[in-house]
């Protein structure tokens, strides 16, 4: 008689160790144990010698609905499954709808649930005209964190939250134990820099970096962390492109404050002088892609443990919104769900960084950060059997050929990757077989934090 439903054997990569010749045993959609040696009996067994077995990734930053009638959860979660991502955390800035009330949360859950092929959690935000009044009701509705911005991209969909209002929001969130994540660009400084670039008549790829120089990002990061220190609210910078930013976050943590920081995969992969110069609008992201020297600084911070999370900030704009010759006229953001895990593994191995960092930064820490670690975040007994299998099959990434993306472009096209996602399991069921996404729409479920108040937890 089979002891388990599923057993996978290979090199098991956990956040604290690598188990050579290890196996993961699954029953009823949950991990039962991680062992070593001979595989136990199971209804389904796979000896994947040579493969890496990692916990399914949690992408902390996804924009499924930034463009109406474009990607939606049907496609974002398809890309996720093909990339070894088993949970996405979706942003609250949807075109035509700001997720800023319990009703808006419910509408989004009801919208996403029939489409989702992997699990999903949600961010909430506030309408600047309402302030923090609805924060408590969104907590009850199940949001996993809150998102604000110190820069205003759009007064309705992506509004700037002024300093006094940001403090009020942080104070309202602090008792809940959830995190306040903030887009870190100083509005006044960015607008002054944009004006300078336009006055100089610069419209090529250089325009974007010049319009958002490092100080615009670092000023905002300091404001965010100081607001967290003042209010006792966990403060999170949702994307940092500069080594200095990680030093600032580490300094606040050393002082005892809950200051976390996120690095997007594009900041670890692309650089301004090569990739932005080549791709133009298809590499326009806020904050901008920086020079290669900053890329390597970020990898050093990964190695030193100064990075809390790695995510994609995934958004699949239609190509017409990313190909304007005037760099500043393009939409900001790129798709990345299908390739984040292989890109991180490639970069870590090239720099001698242990793969335990992959399990830590893309699974364990995100689960803890969003208070989902009662069910997600590790290959350990009682947690969901969310599993990613990578095999050593070098290939050149082509987002069109894969068929798992709603758009026919990617800034990562043409990159040679040494490891391929060959299987993704969601709660013990095969969601991606290495070629085809098997998880049907509706397979994914809404995941919410435990409804408990948390105090003093980093």
């Amino acid at each position: 008689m089979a002891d388990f439903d599923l057993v996978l054997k290979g090199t098991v990569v956990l956040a604290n160790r690598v188990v050579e010749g290890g196996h993961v045993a699954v029953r009823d959609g949950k991990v039962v144990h991680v062992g070593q040696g001979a595989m136990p009996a199971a209804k389904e067994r796979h000896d994947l010698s040579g493969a890496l077995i990692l916990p399914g990734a949690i992408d902390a930053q996804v924009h499924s609905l930034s463009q109406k009638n474009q990607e939606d959860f049907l496609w974002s979660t398809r890309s996720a499954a093909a990339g070894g991502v088993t949970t996405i955390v979706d942003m609250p800035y949807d075109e035509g709808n700001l997720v800023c009330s319990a009703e808006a949360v419910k509408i989004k859950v009801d919208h996403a649930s029939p489409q989702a092929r992997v699990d999903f959690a949600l961010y909430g935000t506030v309408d600047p005209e309402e302030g923090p009044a609805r924060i408590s009701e969104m907590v009850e509705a199940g949001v996993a964190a809150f998102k604000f911005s110190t820069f205003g991209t759009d007064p309705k969909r992506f509004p700037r939250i002024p300093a006094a209002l940001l403090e009020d929001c942080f104070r309202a969130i602090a008792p809940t134990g959830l995190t306040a994540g903030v887009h870190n660009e100083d509005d006044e400084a960015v607008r002054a820099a944009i004006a300078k670039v336009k006055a100089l008549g610069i419209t090529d790829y250089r325009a974007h970096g010049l319009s958002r120089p490092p100080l615009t990002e670092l000023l905002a990061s300091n404001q965010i962390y100081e607001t967290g220190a003042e209010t006792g609210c966990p403060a999170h910078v949702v994307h940092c492109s500069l080594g200095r930013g990680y030093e600032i976050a580490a300094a606040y943590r050393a002082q005892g404050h809950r200051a976390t920081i996120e690095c997007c995969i594009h900041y670890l992969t692309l650089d301004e002088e090569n990739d932005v110069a080549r791709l133009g609008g298809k590499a326009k992201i806020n904050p901008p892609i920086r020079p290669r020297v900053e890329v390597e600084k970020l990898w050093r911070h990964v190695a030193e443990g100064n990075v809390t999370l790695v995510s994609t900030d995934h958004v699949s704009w239609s190509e017409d919104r990313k190909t304007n010759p005037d760099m500043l006229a393009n939409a900001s953001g790129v798709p990345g769900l299908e390739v984040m895990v292989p890109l991180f593994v490639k970069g870590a191995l090239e720099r001698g960084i242990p793969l335990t960092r992959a399990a830590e930064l893309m699974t364990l820490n995100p689960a803890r950060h969003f208070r989902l670690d009662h069910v997600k975040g590790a290959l350990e007994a009682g947690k969901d059997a969310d599993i990613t299998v990578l095999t050593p099959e070098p290939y050149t990434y082509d987002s069109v050929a894969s068929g798992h993306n709603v758009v026919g472009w990617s800034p990562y096209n043409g990159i040679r990757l040494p490891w391929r996602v060959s299987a993704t399991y969601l709660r013990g069921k095969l969601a991606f077989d290495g070629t085809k996404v098997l998880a049907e729409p509706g397979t994914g479920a809404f995941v919410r934090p435990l409804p408990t108040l948390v105090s003093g937890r980093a």
Side-chain angles (χ1 to χ4, degrees):
M1 181 177 178
D3 297 321
F4 304 105
D5 298 325
L6 173 69
V7 172
L8 302 176
K9 182 175 181 179
T11 299
V12 181
V13 180
L14 307 175
N16 62 347
R17 69 191 191 280
V18 174
V19 184
E20 299 287 350
H23 61 257
V24 180
V26 176
R27 186 189 300 122
D28 297 328
K30 301 288 185 180
V31 175
V32 180
H33 77 89
V34 173
Q36 199 168 20
M39 286 191 292
K43 295 175 184 175
E44 183 181 349
R45 300 198 308 170
H46 298 284
D47 188 340
L48 305 170
S49 297
L52 302 175
I53 299 173
L54 294 93
I58 299 172
D59 191 340
Q61 193 168 176
V62 175
H63 297 262
S64 297
L65 297 170
S66 280
Q67 183 176 346
K68 279 187 175 180
N69 305 314
Q70 176 65 11
E71 184 167 43
D72 220 325
F73 283 83
L74 193 67
W75 278 98
S76 66
T77 57
R78 178 172 174 171
S79 295
V85 176
T86 49
T87 303
I88 66 170
V89 186
D90 211 74
M91 289 287 133
Y93 302 121
D94 303 333
E95 190 168 63
N97 180 42
L98 199 64
V99 181
C100 58
S101 67
E103 181 183 9
V105 173
K106 182 181 184 302
I107 289 171
K108 189 163 183 175
V109 171
D110 290 345
H111 173 84
S113 294
Q115 297 187 42
R117 302 171 193 266
V118 302
D119 292 347
F120 65 97
L122 296 179
Y123 264 98
T125 190
V126 299
D127 183 331
E129 295 180 4
E130 285 189 328
R134 296 185 180 274
I135 281 175
S136 60
E137 69 178 57
M138 284 186 280
V139 173
E140 292 181 9
V143 299
F146 288 89
K147 170 76 179 292
F148 310 106
S149 181
T150 54
F151 176 79
T153 299
D154 180 274
K156 284 295 183 184
R157 189 186 74 83
F158 203 111
R160 173 184 178 239
I161 304 299
L165 177 54
L166 191 69
E167 179 186 349
D168 290 343
C169 291
F170 273 45
R171 290 194 187 280
I173 295 166
T176 73
L178 296 183
T179 298
V182 188
H183 179 110
N184 52 316
E185 293 183 299
D186 183 89
D187 194 272
E188 182 181 10
V190 169
R191 295 192 187 284
I194 289 173
K196 287 182 181 178
V197 171
K198 290 184 174 180
L200 291 169
I202 300 172
T203 60
D204 64 14
Y205 80 92
R206 299 169 298 155
H208 189 50
L210 291 171
S211 74
R212 285 168 152 83
L215 190 58
T216 63
E217 189 176 333
L218 300 174
L219 287 172
S221 294
N222 276 286
Q223 178 196 345
I224 293 159
Y225 290 134
E226 199 57 37
T227 305
E230 170 67 21
T231 60
C233 181
H236 181 65
V237 165
V238 299
H239 35 44
C240 181
S241 68
L242 299 160
R244 174 66 181 148
Y246 296 88
E247 295 170 4
I248 291 168
Y252 274 90
R253 288 195 299 275
Q255 295 165 20
H257 303 297
R258 289 174 288 180
T260 52
I261 189 163
E262 191 167 331
C263 187
C264 299
I265 194 65
H266 42 258
Y267 299 131
L268 293 169
T269 305
L270 308 174
D271 66 55
E272 183 180 38
E273 61 267 38
N274 295 297
D275 301 299
V276 182
R278 173 175 55 89
L279 295 165
K282 290 182 179 179
K284 185 190 175 197
I285 300 162
N286 294 335
I289 301 295
R290 304 294 184 184
R292 176 54 53 174
V293 64
E294 289 293 342
V295 176
E296 297 308 323
K297 285 181 184 178
L298 302 193
W299 276 110
R300 286 198 293 275
H301 283 292
V302 168
E304 293 167 5
N306 292 330
V307 177
T308 312
L309 315 174
V310 169
S311 68
T312 62
D313 201 2
H314 171 99
V315 55
S316 291
W317 297 111
S318 57
E319 202 159 2
D320 62 296
R321 295 200 186 188
K322 298 291 287 181
T323 52
N324 196 308
D326 181 352
M327 186 67 170
L328 297 184
N330 292 288
S332 294
V334 299
L337 271 162
E338 188 183 26
V339 77
M340 173 179 70
V341 174
L343 282 171
F344 185 89
V345 168
K346 169 185 167 69
L349 290 174
E350 287 175 347
R351 293 164 178 84
I353 295 171
L355 290 183
T356 51
R357 283 279 187 243
E360 178 188 7
L361 300 183
M362 293 187 288
T363 307
L364 179 64
N365 285 3
R368 290 175 173 172
H369 183 83
F370 295 108
R371 312 299 190 224
L372 305 176
D373 50 326
H374 57 298
V375 288
K376 302 291 183 184
L379 296 177
E380 61 183 38
K383 301 286 179 70
D384 286 352
D386 297 343
I387 303 168
T388 301
V389 178
L390 286 89
T391 49
E393 302 175 65
Y395 71 106
T396 300
Y397 181 63
D398 185 335
S399 61
V400 179
S402 80
H404 301 305
N405 304 280
V406 72
V407 289
W409 66 274
S410 166
Y412 309 113
N413 280 346
I415 292 179
R416 189 74 175 165
L417 295 166
W419 291 82
R420 180 190 296 271
V421 175
S422 60
T424 304
Y425 291 84
L426 176 68
R427 287 176 264 115
K429 300 293 183 184
L430 188 62
F432 175 64
D433 67 3
T435 302
K436 183 179 179 182
V437 173
L438 304 178
E440 294 292 335
T443 301
F446 176 49
V447 188
R448 53 186 296 159
L450 285 175
T452 54
L453 297 183
V454 181
S455 178
R457 179 178 176 184

